[in-house]
Amino acid sequence: MRLSLCMIVRDEAFFIEDCLSAARPLVDEIVVVDTGSKDGTRETALVIADQIIDFPWVEDFSAARNEGLAAATGDWVLVLDADERIAPTDYAAMREAMHDERYDGFYLQNRSYSNAPDQRNWRPIGEDDPNARGYLGYSGHPIMKLFRSRADIRYRGRVHEIIDGSVEASRRGTLDVVIHHYGEANPGRPRRERALRYLKIMDEELAERDDGRLFAIAGSTAMYHAQDYAKAQRYLLRAAELGYEPAISLEGAAEAAYRAGDFGPARDIYERLYNDGKRAPSLCLNLANLVVRAGDAERGATLLEECLALGGIDEPTNEAIRRNIKLLRRKRPEDGVPRPS
């Protein structure tokens, strides 16, 4: 079976040659949709790719992606961005999966590398991991990036677009294949700048329709990049109401309230989650801050111990937590605990 790599790009000169050169020996076709590059991206891609499609940008990522899918001639499609890589050894697993008649699409494991432990789902990584490229950790989530090339399988959503909705749930599989995402590596494209541009598109789309997943993404963006904690809390609560990963969305809403200094609502949500059995290092750490503020040093120390038992945050924060546990056990809550993650 033939595999087509489909990409959309715009001003990706920092990444594009490395990305296409790495994939070229491992795929049967490369289709690149350029949405208006002015930095030489198109010229570089023209040397390596099989097809270059010029597509005017219309503030809609799905429209651009679907243009590439329509042009692909392979039996299956792999979608990557210019700042993403798949290890050469993992292509064999994808090739094998393409012959499984039970599935029309597969989730791969996305790893977005960064040195920011305050990002949601961030995990530390060993220094000897060759794929880390010097980063201290990553935020991970599954994402469907490999699927059959069919006219009925198309992307939806103007931003943070997904293909899942056009693949029947019973026909979706999961592969132990990692997408290594190095979006932080390009100094010319600060993450915050990109995130705020995407937030604007999400705000416009959410004004037109309810989408729990999009509310959750927009809420996190509003919190971590726009520092608009009121919007973050509102969006994340709405995501939970719509049933999108309710516990995770509620924890995000609690963190937004905490960062805004609304300690009462923050504690209410954290306590609700904790009593329902939700456990995460960040939840235990932030709830510890709140109960210490209320004067309960003993419970604060217990929550900090639970935070460490769950893996902690990062080593500097974990060391501060250990010091604070000792202080709190001495009934000295005035020393405080680390800032929330």
Side-chain angles (χ1 to χ4, degrees), residues 168-211:
E168 291 183 20
S170 62
R171 303 282 295 173
R172 303 173 192 170
T174 300
L175 296 179
D176 188 22
V177 170
V178 175
I179 299 172
H180 302 282
H181 183 201
Y182 303 107
E184 301 282 288
N186 185 357
R189 297 185 63 185
R191 180 174 181 176
R192 183 173 186 272
E193 179 182 299
R194 286 179 285 128
L196 294 179
R197 179 163 62 91
Y198 298 160
L199 180 58
K200 181 177 181 294
I201 300 174
M202 285 187 281
D203 284 340
E204 293 170 353
E205 188 162 358
L206 289 170
E208 300 171 358
R209 66 183 182 90
D210 276 343
D211 184 320

Side-chain angles (χ1 to χ4, degrees), residues 7-8 61-69 79-81 155 161:
M7 303 174 60
I8 62 171
F61 284 88
S62 284
R65 291 213 186 273
N66 290 336
E67 188 78 5
L69 299 187
V79 171
L80 293 177
D81 291 328
Y155 278 93
E161 64 284 2

Side-chain angles (χ1 to χ4, degrees), residues 216 236-253 269 272-273 278:
L236 288 160
L237 286 173
R238 184 59 180 151
E241 289 174 3
L242 292 170
Y244 182 78
E245 298 183 339
I248 295 174
S249 296
L250 284 173
E251 185 183 352
I269 299 173
R272 170 183 165 187
L273 289 167
K278 167 73 172 173

